[in-house]
Amino acid sequence: MSPVSEPNAAARAGEPLVRTAALSKEFAAGSDGFLGSRKLTVKAVTAVNLEIEPGETIGLVGESGSGKSTLGRLILRLIDPTSGSVFFEGRDLSSLGRAELRALRREMQLVFQDPYASLNPRMRVRSIVGEGIEIHNLARGREKDERIVALLDMVGLSADALERYPHEFSGGQRQRIGIARALAVNPRFLVLDEPVSALDVSIQAQIINLLQDLQEKLKLTYLFIAHDLRVVEHISRRVAIMYLGKIVELASRDEIYQNPRHPYTRALLSAIPTVDQTQKPERIKLPGEMPSPVSPPSGCAFHPRCPYAKDVCRTAEPPLEAGRGGHAVACHVFPAP
């Protein structure tokens, strides 16, 4: 049996593999007011509409606390949305029963940020990678072992790793084990939640190259979550910029890096280190910090930090509107081109 199956007819009708419709998530955050009469909620993700085509990589970028990881977990149905829907190949995940959802989990997997914390220190690599194979009854006995060895080889590890524990590996090797674990159940869609942020720069490049090779070989689709725009530039076809639970700009990689529209995107790009100082844009220093998602600002959520904010920005929330080439921006001052 091949370690990873061929994709089925995910793209046959030209429909997105994954689609979210007004997806929102709020978390309870205690209470406030007289005798705790007012319930507080954290607005982690608000009305996100996103389409991910088969075989593409979308980079999802934003500061810590912007809602990136929450959105990724909502898409995987690891947490339930407060409102809105997630569709996989046109199927609404909220309408699926337990058995159907369990079967669908084979199609969608998560690679975690921290390779040190995401692997069970008491399990050998054989058990870590083989657990999903066993749960979904994909192989047993010798066939299972051969499948695990093939997966390890695919991510650049030898069969010698089978009987070793996570602490015996470097950070990059642990992340390779995590990737092998995710691939073990034949997924077609991976949410990569900052998969290289905990690694040294040289190791980051190796893992990014591995992910690109695997995507080409296995026809995988990625949602790549990161806060580092340098990394996102190398792997993504399209880039979505997220701020305080909302997508504020979405465009092709080239459009985002060469023609950024939203002031927040411009500020993020200006902070990227570069060796060639003549090509470096002037650094845009944003005042203050991201507002609390418990009480977000009225109008545009970015207006308290925006150097271009106008009166309309303080009162009216800008919609995410697409312009030329699908370049979508949520901004009153710098609308879509």
Side-chain angles (χ1 to χ4, degrees):
M1 183 182 294
S2 172
V4 179
S5 64
E6 290 296 318
N8 62 21
R12 59 175 173 264
E15 67 179 15
L17 181 67
V18 178
R19 178 170 67 88
T20 71
L23 192 62
S24 300
K25 180 63 179 179
E26 296 182 358
F27 296 99
S31 57
D32 195 6
F34 180 68
L35 296 179
S37 58
R38 183 165 64 96
K39 302 299 181 183
L40 301 178
T41 58
V42 174
K43 298 174 178 62
V45 173
T46 303
V48 168
N49 297 305
L50 184 65
E51 294 185 353
I52 306 176
E53 301 296 332
E56 82 164 331
T57 298
I58 283 190
L60 185 61
V61 182
E63 294 173 89
S64 297
S66 61
K68 308 184 301 297
S69 295
T70 300
L71 178 58
R73 283 159 173 74
L74 285 169
I75 290 174
L76 294 176
R77 189 72 191 280
L78 296 178
I79 54 178
D80 293 325
T82 303
S83 61
S85 302
V86 178
F87 298 88
F88 187 86
E89 289 190 309
R91 291 177 289 173
D92 186 348
L93 300 193
S94 64
S95 68
L96 301 182
R98 180 176 297 181
E100 292 175 300
L101 186 59
R102 177 186 174 92
L104 191 61
R105 292 203 186 282
R106 281 185 53 192
E107 310 283 351
M108 307 185 296
Q109 289 290 306
L110 174 66
V111 175
F112 295 90
Q113 172 182 357
D114 188 351
Y116 296 92
S118 63
L119 304 178
N120 189 328
R122 294 189 175 91
M123 293 176 66
R124 300 179 192 269
V125 169
R126 179 194 299 274
S127 299
I128 291 172
V129 177
E131 188 174 27
I133 298 173
E134 200 163 297
I135 289 173
H136 291 280
N137 198 28
L138 301 178
R140 297 286 181 181
R142 181 177 178 180
E143 184 182 7
K144 173 186 168 185
D145 288 344
E146 290 175 351
R147 188 183 181 97
I148 295 171
V149 171
L151 285 161
L152 291 177
D153 180 68
M154 191 180 296
V155 300
L157 295 173
S158 69
D160 295 340
L162 283 173
E163 303 304 325
R164 295 163 63 186
Y165 291 95
H167 73 268
E168 300 179 66
F169 297 91
S170 67
Q173 290 172 325
R174 292 184 194 185
Q175 196 59 289
R176 291 173 187 269
I177 295 168
I179 294 169
R181 175 177 60 183
L183 295 177
V185 294
N186 301 341
R188 284 180 290 146
F189 174 60
L190 293 183
V191 172
L192 304 161
D193 191 359
E194 303 214 34
V196 299
S197 63
L199 306 177
D200 293 339
V201 173
S202 60
I203 305 302
Q204 287 183 5
Q206 294 176 20
I207 298 299
I208 292 297
N209 289 337
L210 171 64
L211 290 170
Q212 290 176 314
D213 291 343
L214 290 171
Q215 183 174 39
E216 182 178 353
K217 180 178 182 179
L218 306 176
K219 311 303 180 188
L220 297 170
T221 302
Y222 293 155
L223 175 65
F224 190 95
I225 299 171
H227 64 270
D228 189 339
L229 279 160
R230 293 174 304 172
V231 173
V232 171
E233 184 178 11
H234 289 291
I235 195 170
S236 302
R237 194 185 88 182
R238 289 190 294 153
V239 179
I241 307 297
M242 198 165 187
Y243 186 80
L244 205 64
K246 301 176 184 179
I247 292 178
V248 297
E249 187 162 8
L250 173 63
S252 69
R253 175 189 59 198
D254 291 344
E255 274 289 297
I256 287 290
Y257 285 85
Q258 297 173 16
N259 183 31
R261 301 291 294 174
H262 199 282
Y264 181 58
T265 307
R266 298 180 184 186
L268 292 177
L269 289 170
S270 76
I272 298 177
T274 179
V275 175
D276 186 356
Q277 295 299 315
T278 63
Q279 299 297 321
K280 182 176 175 59
E282 183 179 352
R283 177 68 184 272
I284 301 173
K285 296 182 179 180
L286 299 177
E289 298 179 353
M290 185 183 297
S292 170
V294 175
S295 55
S298 59
C300 174
F302 187 62
H303 86 255
R305 306 174 70 190
C306 181
Y308 309 101
K310 298 180 178 180
D311 289 342
V312 65
C313 303
R314 300 175 178 87
T315 58
E317 180 180 350
L320 183 67
E321 295 182 332
R324 183 184 65 244
H327 191 153
V329 185
C331 184
H332 294 299
V333 182
F334 301 102

